[in-house]
Amino acid sequence: MTRDTSSLQEAKMLLEVLKRIPLNRKISTTDLHQQLTAAGYELSRRTLQRYLKALSESDMGVQCDDKSKPFGYRRLLNSNDLDRVGLGADGALLLLLAREHLRYQMPPDLTNSLSYLFDAAENYMHTASGSSPEKLWLSKVRFVSGSLPLCPPMIRPSIFNKVSEGLFKQVKLDIVYFKSENEEEVQLRVSPLGLVQQDVRLYLVCCYEDTTQIRNLALHRIKKVELTTFIAEEPKGF
């Protein structure tokens, strides 16, 4: 009975790995491992490598590119990816619009764990007819700001990811921050409270250490950020 249960769990994990291998691009073992971890699956890198080797040597349509390191894996099957995950054209449209407009409102770990769905949605739209209503809809809608158009400031993905992780885990952050373009950097310990997007700018709402005053820090002015092990403190009534 234990052996049967173990075999079933291994089969389920193989399916989770398989559905995260994209059709139109290669993915590394590291990226796959990050996706599975973000989705809550406990799997060692060694076990994942064993699964990938088995999949690439079977008739499951998985190709391993071992010409350079890190190795890359992609699927060669022509069947529609969205059929496997139970989505249709409407689901593909919803996913692509959601990714575009919610990219700064979703925790990066959650976005990474759903990347196989976004890949499937992109593949669906890529192969859909040019006259498909869902495909045409993507070119018919735009978000337009009510103010003068501004170039969005550059936010490093590593900064956004760590700030979001600290906010999600509710722990304090150690930050190196520029108050303005010409000012020297300052070192701060803050309790992250939220993320706010104003037009093209993204702000971290927070409190400095040992204060209850609410501050807004522009993410593009954050030079460095590290997570601490201290629980973030939320002001009363926030």
Side-chain angles (χ1 to χ4, degrees):
M1 184 68 178
T2 302
R3 182 179 300 174
D4 291 342
T5 302
S6 177
S7 298
L8 178 60
Q9 291 175 342
E10 187 169 45
K12 288 181 178 179
M13 185 60 69
L14 277 167
L15 288 174
E16 290 295 332
V17 173
L18 181 62
K19 73 182 184 181
R20 284 174 168 80
I21 300 176
L23 280 171
N24 294 324
R25 63 178 179 85
K26 293 180 291 186
I27 189 170
S28 67
T29 304
T30 299
D31 288 341
L32 270 173
H33 190 259
Q34 289 176 349
Q35 287 188 25
L36 290 164
T37 301
Y41 296 101
E42 295 183 2
L43 185 70
S44 69
R45 286 178 58 88
R46 185 180 295 275
T47 300
L48 176 58
Q49 289 170 344
R50 177 168 59 84
Y51 285 169
L52 289 170
K53 184 174 185 297
L55 288 171
S56 62
E57 292 177 351
S58 68
D59 59 353
M60 298 297 289
V62 175
Q63 181 185 65
C64 173
D65 182 0
D66 56 2
K67 295 179 181 178
S68 62
K69 292 187 177 181
F71 292 174
Y73 297 86
R74 68 186 181 98
R75 278 193 287 114
L76 303 176
L77 300 182
N78 294 321
S79 57
N80 195 305
D81 230 16
L82 288 177
D83 292 337
R84 301 164 187 269
V85 294
L87 296 174
D90 53 347
L93 179 61
L94 177 62
L95 280 167
L96 294 178
L97 290 174
R99 183 180 63 176
E100 178 65 23
H101 294 287
L102 299 178
R103 57 178 177 162
Y104 288 132
Q105 280 74 47
M106 293 176 63
D109 281 353
L110 178 58
T111 303
N112 289 336
S113 71
L114 296 175
S115 62
Y116 74 97
L117 288 175
F118 296 133
D119 287 342
E122 283 187 349
N123 181 67
Y124 184 94
M125 289 302 181
H126 178 73
T127 57
S129 167
S131 59
S132 165
E134 292 81 12
K135 190 169 186 177
L136 291 174
W137 185 261
L138 290 174
S139 63
K140 293 180 179 180
V141 293
R142 290 290 186 273
F143 173 78
V144 179
S145 173
S147 58
L148 292 174
L150 301 172
C151 293
M154 178 63 184
I155 299 174
R156 286 188 293 166
S158 60
I159 296 296
F160 173 73
N161 289 347
K162 284 193 174 182
V163 167
S164 299
E165 184 180 356
L167 182 63
F168 188 74
K169 293 181 176 178
Q170 301 181 42
V171 297
K172 293 183 179 181
L173 301 172
D174 285 334
I175 288 175
V176 177
Y177 186 74
F178 289 100
K179 289 187 176 181
S180 68
E181 296 290 348
N182 300 321
E183 288 190 23
E184 295 183 358
E185 63 188 39
V186 294
Q187 296 185 355
L188 306 168
R189 173 164 289 181
V190 304
S191 291
L193 304 173
L195 284 172
V196 174
Q197 185 169 357
Q198 183 180 41
D199 289 330
V200 296
R201 297 181 183 274
L202 195 63
Y203 294 90
L204 170 65
V205 182
C206 62
C207 284
Y208 290 174
E209 181 85 322
D210 299 325
T211 72
T212 58
Q213 186 176 359
I214 306 297
R215 304 279 184 169
N216 296 321
L217 304 182
L219 256 67
H220 66 278
R221 295 193 187 282
I222 297 178
K223 180 180 178 181
K224 184 179 179 182
V225 57
E226 295 293 340
L227 277 70
T228 73
T229 57
F230 301 102
I231 301 299
E233 299 169 354
E234 184 176 300
K236 186 176 181 180
F238 176 77

